[in-house]
Amino acid sequence: MLLAHISDLHLDGSERATRRATRVMDHLRALPHPPDALLVTGDIADHGEEAEYEEAARILSAPFPVLTCPGNHDARPAYRKALLGQEPDDGPLNQAHHIDGTAILMCDSTIPGSDQGLLDTGTLAWIDTELTALPQDTPALIAFHQPPVALHHPLPDSYMLEEPERLADLLAAHPQVAAVLTGHAHTAAASTFAARPLIVGPAVTWTLRLPWEGDQAADRDQPPGLAFHILDDTRRLTTHYRVVI
C-alpha cells in the first residue's frame, strides 16, 4: 500500500497558501501511479473559518481517497460542515477508514482553544474499540496532529501531545498497529513511539528551522514537503520524503 502524507496547509485565503497547497496536489494528481490514499494530519485551515475549509475541499479534491484529521488551528464545527459535508458539531472528530486491507484511524487530538494536544478518554476508547474489532491479521495505522515525543526544538516541544503514556499503554494491547503518523511540527522527522515507527509529516506552508539551522523558526523559502509511506506485507513501513518545486 502506498500512502501520501502532507500536513499543516494553513489555508487562509492568501495567494501564497493557495499556491503551495495547489502545487502539492497537482504533483500528486500527475503521478504515473497515484497513491492509494492521501493523509492530511491537521491544520488544514489557519483560522478555522468555513471559507478556508471550502477552499480546502476544492484543493484536496482528488481521484484517490483523502483522509484528514484536525489540528490546533482547525475548528470542529466549520471543518465538519464545509470540508466533510456533515452537520456542524463540536465533539471529537474521529474517522476510521479501510484502504487496501489496512485500517487507518484518523484521530482528533485537538483541545478547542488550545495549541496543546490530547487524545481524550472518549477518543482512546474509540481507538481501542476500532482496533479490537479488526481481524488479527489486519494491519493498522494511527494518525493525529501533535507528536507524542519531543523533537528537540522548543517550539513544537512546547505543544506536544499530553499524556502520551495513555496511548502507549493502549498500543501495547494492539500489536497490529504498524506505525503512528503525525504533523504539527512543520519538519519532516522520524522517531519511535511505543516500539513503533513515529513519522512526522512535513508541512506545506513553511518549514521549521532546527536550532542548528538558525534562530528564526519559520523558513518560508523552503518548498512544500511531502511524504510517501509504503506499508508492505510484513507490516514494515518505509517512508520517502520529497519537496515539490
Side-chain angles (χ1 to χ4, degrees):
M1 181 180 65
L2 173 64
L3 297 173
H5 178 190
I6 60 175
S7 196
D8 296 86
L9 284 65
H10 287 270
L11 292 170
D12 58 3
S14 69
E15 188 275 336
R16 179 185 181 277
T18 298
R19 182 181 70 251
R20 289 173 71 91
T22 300
R23 189 189 312 168
V24 171
M25 291 305 299
D26 286 347
H27 178 80
L28 288 172
R29 286 189 288 259
L31 288 172
H33 302 286
D36 294 300
L38 167 65
L39 276 58
V40 188
T41 48
D43 280 359
I44 296 167
D46 195 49
H47 304 102
E49 297 177 356
E50 283 190 24
E52 294 170 339
Y53 295 112
E54 289 169 355
E55 181 181 34
R58 293 191 297 270
I59 292 174
L60 294 173
S61 177
F64 41 79
V66 177
L67 320 182
T68 66
C69 64
N72 53 291
H73 278 252
D74 291 308
R76 291 168 177 172
Y79 183 120
R80 276 191 164 94
K81 179 180 178 181
L83 183 60
L84 301 181
Q86 300 177 1
E87 288 297 315
D89 184 88
D90 199 37
L93 210 163
N94 301 309
Q95 301 178 90
H97 306 271
H98 296 269
I99 305 292
D100 196 23
T102 297
I104 303 175
L105 305 188
M106 304 298 292
C107 308
D108 190 340
S109 62
T110 65
I111 304 172
S114 172
D115 289 329
Q116 300 292 139
L118 178 71
L119 296 170
D120 66 18
T121 298
T123 293
L124 289 171
W126 174 82
I127 294 171
D128 186 47
T129 298
E130 292 290 331
L131 295 176
T132 299
L134 294 176
Q136 290 189 350
D137 60 349
T138 299
L141 298 169
I142 293 181
F144 49 89
H145 187 60
Q146 290 92 344
V149 301
L151 298 178
H152 306 288
H153 188 288
L155 184 58
D157 291 352
S158 298
Y159 305 106
M160 291 169 48
L161 186 78
E162 297 181 348
E163 303 179 21
E165 66 280 358
R166 299 178 69 194
L167 177 61
D169 290 344
L170 188 157
L171 293 182
H174 296 288
Q176 71 267 51
V177 176
V180 175
L181 310 175
T182 71
H184 187 54
H186 288 239
T187 180
S191 187
T192 58
F193 174 75
R196 272 90 163 174
L198 169 68
I199 305 297
V200 181
V204 171
T205 182
W206 53 261
T207 298
L208 181 73
R209 282 193 184 94
L210 296 165
W212 53 90
E213 294 178 309
D215 295 330
Q216 188 174 359
D219 185 348
R220 296 182 177 273
D221 294 328
Q222 286 287 334
L226 169 67
F228 290 105
H229 306 304
I230 302 165
L231 186 65
D232 67 21
D233 292 339
T234 69
R235 299 184 188 174
R236 182 192 299 274
L237 189 80
T238 302
T239 299
H240 301 270
Y241 290 108
R242 292 289 183 269
V243 294
V244 182
I245 304 300

